[in-house]
Amino acid sequence: MPAAPRRIDVHQHLVPPFYRDLLTKAGIAEAGGRALPDWSPEAALELMDLLGTATAIVSVSTPGTGFLADPAEAADLARRLNDHGASLTADHPGRFGHFATLPMPDVDACVAEARRALDELGADGVTLLANNQGTYLGADGQDALWRTLDDRGAVVFVHPADLRAPAVDGIPPFAADFLLDTTRAAYLLVRNGVVRRHPNIRFILSHAGGFVPYASHRMAVSMAADTGRSPLDILDDLRGFYFDTALSSSPAALPTLLAFARPGHVLFGSDWPFAPTVAGQYFANGLDSGVDPATLTAVNHANAEALFPRLATAPATTPAGPAPVRLRQAAQRAGARLVFKLVQPGTR
């Protein structure tokens, strides 16, 4: 039986019961057009063992705290979520890390919570939604937050949110709108000089950066015309982002991402549980079969270990479960590999 790949998953979500209850009370039953999934630490660990994931850095997906109109309530919820993430990490040493939730768009509250989460709770970074009630990352008025994060050399996980426009019938937001949302945030972070002024912040863009790798040169030409900057400098800033492979390690998308991103800047992501287990297996197989061994090792864990040095000292293998469980998981993996091969263009 082949050794587990020891993946480090930087794009995995948690939905604590108290958070689900608050969303339900607010009439929110979905995120990005997908029903709120069931979540538990045990289910997360089962998925991780199936995919060969040693450690998952979990985060809260959209809507974060943005559904609360009262800034004080949003700040309190962020604290509760971050305390929960810290407890999860402590209860499962080596298996979990967490990105702290910040109560955007209240910048002052975000600064206070970022300091607490990074300095006291040991968070691995922070999560920021691409837009918060229609205000995008990179807009005016956010400098205090960027300074706080830059001072700490923080990792910022950028996750899309719903666009501030009605969804189109037949197109669930997660399928297309989310990619645009991330791209908009990346554009403004570069166009407005945030990444240049705060070089110690490491930004991770979800889902291979949305449209960023594919449209990077088009965006660079547009920004150059708008700002007078060199297109080469703009492309250098765009390549400076980190990118995760969640729902993106396909034969169509993965080569573009690897051709565009700087070496060391592509990280494994699953998007579980919003992306169901079958989707996680499908795209993990796309990665496993689509790159050379050195690149696979880098994306699976080496790049993340460089970004999060504490993970470089994690156990070298995922825990071995009981023999019946391992046999069942091996059969699931074999079946998923076969399905992946059968659905590729040109195979029928």
Side-chain angles (χ1 to χ4, degrees):
M1 186 177 298
R6 195 165 63 86
R7 305 188 209 268
I8 295 173
D9 188 349
V10 303
H11 188 156
Q12 190 181 126
H13 296 299
L14 76 168
V15 188
F18 70 86
Y19 182 60
R20 176 189 288 275
D21 290 345
L22 287 172
L23 293 175
T24 301
K25 184 178 179 180
I28 299 171
E30 62 178 35
R34 294 193 64 86
L36 293 175
D38 293 329
W39 175 86
S40 69
E42 294 75 22
L45 290 167
E46 182 177 352
L47 176 280
M48 291 161 63
D49 291 345
L50 178 63
L51 297 187
T53 300
T55 305
I57 304 179
V58 296
S59 57
V60 173
S61 185
T62 185
T65 65
F67 67 99
L68 296 171
D70 184 340
E73 290 184 7
D76 180 67
L77 177 56
R79 287 191 290 270
R80 291 181 66 190
L81 288 167
N82 296 336
D83 288 342
H84 185 88
S87 295
L88 178 69
T89 301
D91 290 344
H92 301 275
R95 300 308 308 270
F96 290 107
H98 71 287
F99 290 129
T101 297
L102 300 185
M104 287 289 271
D106 186 335
V107 171
D108 290 340
C110 286
V111 167
E113 186 59 17
R115 289 171 175 164
R116 188 183 82 95
L118 296 170
D119 298 350
E120 300 175 22
L121 298 183
D124 292 292
V126 303
T127 304
L128 291 174
L129 298 180
N131 91 81
N132 299 269
Q133 300 176 15
T135 298
Y136 274 87
L137 301 182
D140 292 340
Q142 300 168 357
D143 284 350
L145 176 58
W146 303 133
R147 286 194 298 270
T148 298
L149 297 174
D150 187 75
D151 287 346
R152 288 158 176 77
V155 174
V156 175
F157 177 62
V158 178
H159 193 278
D162 288 333
L163 298 178
R164 298 293 282 182
V168 177
D169 287 344
I171 305 178
F174 80 88
D177 295 354
F178 269 17
L179 304 177
L180 174 58
D181 202 49
T182 299
T183 303
R184 285 177 168 180
Y187 190 108
L188 287 178
L189 288 168
V190 172
R191 189 262 181 210
N192 293 342
V194 173
V195 297
R196 285 263 159 160
R197 293 195 303 275
H198 304 285
N200 295 320
I201 300 175
R202 281 77 55 79
F203 290 95
I204 302 173
L205 301 183
S206 299
H207 311 118
F211 303 129
V212 169
Y214 185 81
S216 55
H217 288 254
R218 177 173 180 159
M219 292 192 292
V221 169
S222 174
M223 283 189 229
D226 185 31
T227 64
R229 291 180 57 197
S230 161
L232 292 177
D233 287 345
I234 293 167
L235 285 168
D236 189 55
D237 287 349
L238 290 169
R239 293 183 68 234
F241 289 116
Y242 287 79
F243 305 85
D244 75 50
T245 65
L247 300 175
S248 304
S249 47
S250 69
L254 187 58
T256 300
L257 174 61
L258 292 172
F260 176 74
R262 284 182 187 169
H265 280 226
V266 179
L267 312 165
F268 178 79
S270 71
D271 209 349
W272 188 86
F274 286 92
T277 296
V278 65
Q281 289 182 283
Y282 180 88
F283 287 101
N285 280 315
L287 177 63
D288 291 343
S289 62
V291 300
D292 61 85
T295 301
L296 183 60
T297 297
V299 175
N300 274 341
H301 61 86
N303 294 344
E305 288 168 345
L307 189 60
F308 306 100
R310 77 171 185 85
L311 299 182
T313 60
T317 58
T318 57
V325 173
R326 286 186 281 120
L327 288 172
R328 173 172 54 81
Q329 290 176 339
Q332 287 178 276
R333 286 191 287 266
R337 285 193 295 270
L338 177 60
V339 170
F340 179 83
K341 292 178 181 178
L342 290 175
V343 300
Q344 298 313 308
T347 59
R348 64 183 186 280

